[in-house]
Amino acid sequence: MKNQKKTPYVDALKSYIKEGVTPFDVPGHHMGGINTEFKKVIGDNAYKCDVNAPRGLDNLNHPTGVLKEAQELMAEACKADEAFFLINGTSSGIIAMLLATLNAKDKIILPRNCHKSVINGLVLSGGMPIFITPKFDYELEIANQPSLDDYKKAIVDNPDAKAIFVINPTYFGAVLDLKDLTIFAHEHNMLVLVDEAHGAHFGFNYYGPYSAMECNADLSAVSFHKTGGSFTQSSALLRKGDRVSHYEISKALSIINTTSPSTLLLASLDSARKFLAIKGQETLNEIINLANYARKEINRIPGFKACGREHFMANGVYDYDDTKLVIVLDNINVSGFEIYKMLKDYYHIQMELAETYVVLGIIAVGSKKDQIDKLIQALKEISSIYYKEGIVYPKYHYDINYPKGLLRPRSAFHAPLKRIKLNEALNEISKEMIMIYPPGIPLIIPGEVFTKEVIERINYYKKTSATVLSDYDDDTVGVVDLENWESLPKYEREINDYYANNK
């Protein structure tokens, strides 16, 4: 074991600042030599730490010194063979995974409730998605994991697939039997790629779910900034085994990464790794206890129900991340979107996201009991105003069927564009992704067909306080202009068959 108490990159940064360097390189603020409003907020030290320092702080795209050592420490702490620091979020790690492992038209098996970055990776790599439908929680109106059997069936049915892609955990904390699935996929000569954005704390606590590396997955992209304590935008890409080479990942990252990475983000990764390696077990025990305390107290408040492990396991989930705080509305006369807004506007409490009948909170390594108590008190006050017995909630506002994909995302992305009104887009093939953010799971992706249900869902979300992300800010959407598409003959038969069966 290496000395996990070390922070080689942080130490090198401190030495560089202490050296009193006279800067003639970028960034141009030259270690805080300007006075700005932002500097008044964050102070001198943050500016002094924001340096380029090619001599002394190593090179992210070809590390040989302190960054190399820091990444080796990260790999060991995460039980991986290799770790790559990411300074453009886990999205960049997911895209790099797909670029490193897929050629154009290679098949990859993945759940349809994947993050937008996966679709971007398919556009760039040219990979062909084989989607499997996640299991749906009708009470919470959220998608969980596909079942293990669904994954295995897709693997057997698509023996030419190059890889499988797994979200572990989901945004709401659902965990798959990744050990079993990884063994099965490897037996069928498929790579296992994992979106572990919300599982940076996995593997640092004996009582929590297994991490992707503990399950022998080939690659995993991990958002240390989400639940591990590093700065926003800092993540890691982890590799295990020899099915994917160091060089393929490095080449993919060199396409995506900036050549001017932030020293603040890199140092925060080095520091967060040390914290989790040394104090993770103790801290995460406390965090899980906090989450259990929060659920217990919220369940005493009329109109709210905090769903935890018992609920998810009863809904077929293999394991659960106990740090997620899923608050369900029960006889409250406003929506989850309105609760989310109220908590921020009136109580200065920022939740992670909302759905129609659910509000999600993330309890992580920096959470404190007084923050939990503040949330509990706010929910009590909201309950006193909006709780009403006997409320009958409207029928679930959308169909759970995902739209049919007729084209590879890359093919649709490069096809000619036609802009039409959303309400006139029925049976048109989308050229864009439309989603609410967070969580960033697309309602429709390039290559899928607009259905009545998808149009209704988009219109529904636009009427709420949710942030709807799309290419255009008006009431139009981008679709494939079939009449002016030279490549149409290659796809015409399948498109015509779809239209014939969906008049």
Side-chain angles (χ1 to χ4, degrees):
M1 291 288 289
K2 297 181 184 298
N3 184 359
Q4 288 291 333
K5 293 183 179 179
K6 293 176 65 177
T7 50
Y9 192 80
V10 174
D11 293 346
L13 180 58
K14 287 193 293 186
S15 296
Y16 191 87
I17 296 166
K18 187 177 180 180
E19 187 181 333
V21 171
T22 301
F24 284 94
D25 62 345
V26 295
H29 62 70
H30 283 175
M31 302 180 78
I34 60 173
N35 291 313
T36 65
E37 294 304 308
F38 184 50
K39 186 178 178 182
K40 293 174 185 177
V41 174
I42 65 171
D44 287 338
N45 278 341
Y47 269 89
K48 287 179 180 178
C49 289
D50 183 41
V51 294
N52 190 29
R55 289 186 57 79
L57 289 178
D58 212 348
N59 185 308
L60 180 62
N61 291 304
H62 185 64
T64 58
V66 290
L67 258 178
K68 182 174 184 290
E69 185 180 0
Q71 290 185 153
E72 288 172 350
L73 286 163
M74 176 69 83
E76 181 186 74
C78 296
K79 305 171 184 66
D81 292 334
E82 190 171 19
F84 300 82
F85 283 180
L86 304 173
I87 37 70
N88 195 27
T90 289
S91 292
S92 66
I94 288 172
I95 293 171
M97 284 197 290
L98 298 179
L99 285 175
T101 58
L102 298 181
N103 295 319
K105 299 185 181 179
D106 278 347
K107 292 181 181 178
I108 180 169
I109 297 165
L110 68 164
R112 178 53 182 81
N113 58 326
C114 59
H115 188 260
K116 66 185 287 287
S117 59
V118 181
I119 310 304
N120 288 332
L122 293 175
V123 169
L124 291 171
S125 68
M128 180 182 293
I130 305 297
F131 285 123
I132 45 180
T133 303
K135 298 303 180 186
F136 201 73
D137 185 324
Y138 288 93
E139 180 179 349
L140 305 188
E141 282 201 17
I142 62 172
N144 288 323
Q145 299 276 6
S147 72
L148 183 63
D149 287 341
D150 286 342
Y151 263 110
K152 289 182 175 180
K153 183 178 185 304
I155 289 170
V156 171
D157 290 347
N158 296 275
D160 56 340
K162 188 78 171 290
I164 66 168
F165 186 91
V166 184
I167 307 164
N168 205 58
T170 64
Y171 220 126
F172 290 89
V175 174
L176 187 69
D177 186 355
L178 188 56
K179 275 191 174 182
D180 191 327
L181 179 58
T182 298
I183 292 169
F184 191 83
H186 285 166
E187 287 173 347
H188 288 77
N189 299 313
M190 294 184 194
L191 300 170
V192 179
L193 317 180
V194 183
D195 173 356
E196 209 165 19
H198 289 271
H201 53 298
F202 287 7
F204 292 99
N205 183 281
Y206 298 130
Y207 306 110
Y210 289 114
S211 70
M213 293 295 98
E214 289 177 308
C215 295
N216 295 314
D218 299 290
L219 296 173
S220 173
V222 187
S223 294
F224 277 87
H225 69 94
K226 281 186 168 68
T227 60
S230 64
F231 274 12
T232 294
Q233 207 171 302
S234 60
S235 298
L237 178 56
L238 306 175
R239 179 182 70 85
K240 192 163 192 175
D242 57 4
R243 293 178 181 85
V244 184
S245 77
H246 161 89
Y247 301 102
E248 292 301 320
I249 298 172
S250 294
K251 284 190 290 184
L253 286 173
S254 70
I255 296 172
I256 299 165
N257 277 344
T258 176
T259 53
S260 303
S262 167
T263 50
L264 297 171
L265 300 183
L266 296 173
S268 76
L269 280 168
D270 193 25
S271 186
R273 181 269 314 154
K274 173 185 174 180
F275 178 86
L276 288 172
I278 303 301
K279 297 184 178 180
Q281 180 69 40
E282 174 188 353
T283 302
L284 289 166
N285 284 347
E286 295 170 357
I287 293 308
I288 292 170
N289 288 337
L290 266 184
N292 289 333
Y293 164 74
R295 281 186 280 269
K296 179 181 177 182
E297 294 302 315
I298 290 170
N299 282 331
R300 293 175 174 173
I301 303 172
F304 294 105
K305 181 172 64 174
C307 290
R309 175 174 292 273
E310 183 177 341
H311 171 88
F312 281 86
M313 301 293 275
N315 277 271
V317 170
Y318 172 75
D319 199 359
Y320 185 67
D321 176 10
D322 292 300
T323 68
K324 302 297 186 286
L325 184 59
V326 181
I327 304 171
V328 186
L329 278 60
D330 183 23
N331 289 307
I332 289 287
N333 202 23
V334 288
S335 72
F337 297 110
E338 291 168 295
I339 297 291
Y340 176 92
K341 192 171 182 293
M342 279 182 216
L343 286 170
K344 174 60 175 65
D345 292 349
Y346 300 116
Y347 299 96
H348 311 295
I349 296 171
Q350 183 63 66
M351 303 301 285
E352 176 65 15
L353 63 79
E355 274 287 358
T356 308
Y357 306 124
V358 177
V359 180
L360 174 67
I362 304 295
I363 299 179
V365 291
S367 298
K368 304 297 179 186
K369 184 176 180 297
D370 63 331
Q371 297 169 334
I372 303 294
D373 289 336
K374 185 178 178 182
L375 173 61
I376 291 167
Q377 183 58 38
L379 293 177
K380 286 179 179 178
E381 292 184 20
I382 291 172
S383 169
S384 70
I385 301 169
Y386 294 102
Y387 175 70
K388 184 178 180 181
E389 288 188 11
I391 291 176
V392 177
Y393 287 122
K395 186 179 179 182
Y396 296 103
H397 63 266
Y398 59 79
D399 192 294
I400 66 169
N401 293 320
Y402 290 98
K404 168 75 174 177
L406 292 182
L407 306 176
R408 281 186 303 145
R410 180 170 177 162
S411 299
F413 183 86
H414 289 297
L417 166 71
K418 178 172 67 174
R419 284 179 67 178
I420 61 176
K421 291 186 179 298
L422 170 63
N423 290 331
E424 298 172 359
L426 182 65
N427 289 330
E428 298 282 354
I429 300 174
S430 181
K431 263 186 65 66
E432 62 171 310
M433 276 190 283
I434 301 176
M435 72 206 77
I436 57 169
Y437 191 87
I441 296 169
L443 303 172
I444 191 166
I445 67 172
E448 289 183 338
V449 181
F450 278 96
T451 62
K452 178 175 178 286
E453 291 78 19
V454 169
I455 294 170
E456 287 177 351
R457 289 176 69 182
I458 296 169
N459 281 324
Y460 167 80
Y461 283 122
K462 285 186 173 182
K463 293 175 184 177
T464 70
S465 58
T467 299
V468 179
L469 299 183
S470 60
D471 287 354
Y472 307 104
D473 295 329
D474 54 18
D475 61 350
T476 65
V477 293
V479 301
V480 175
D481 185 355
L482 295 176
E483 292 181 359
N484 294 299
W485 191 24
E486 293 180 357
S487 299
L488 176 60
K490 292 191 294 186
Y491 306 96
E492 196 164 17
R493 181 175 178 179
E494 185 175 0
I495 292 172
N496 288 338
D497 286 346
Y498 175 83
Y499 289 156
N501 294 319
N502 291 274
K503 289 182 180 179

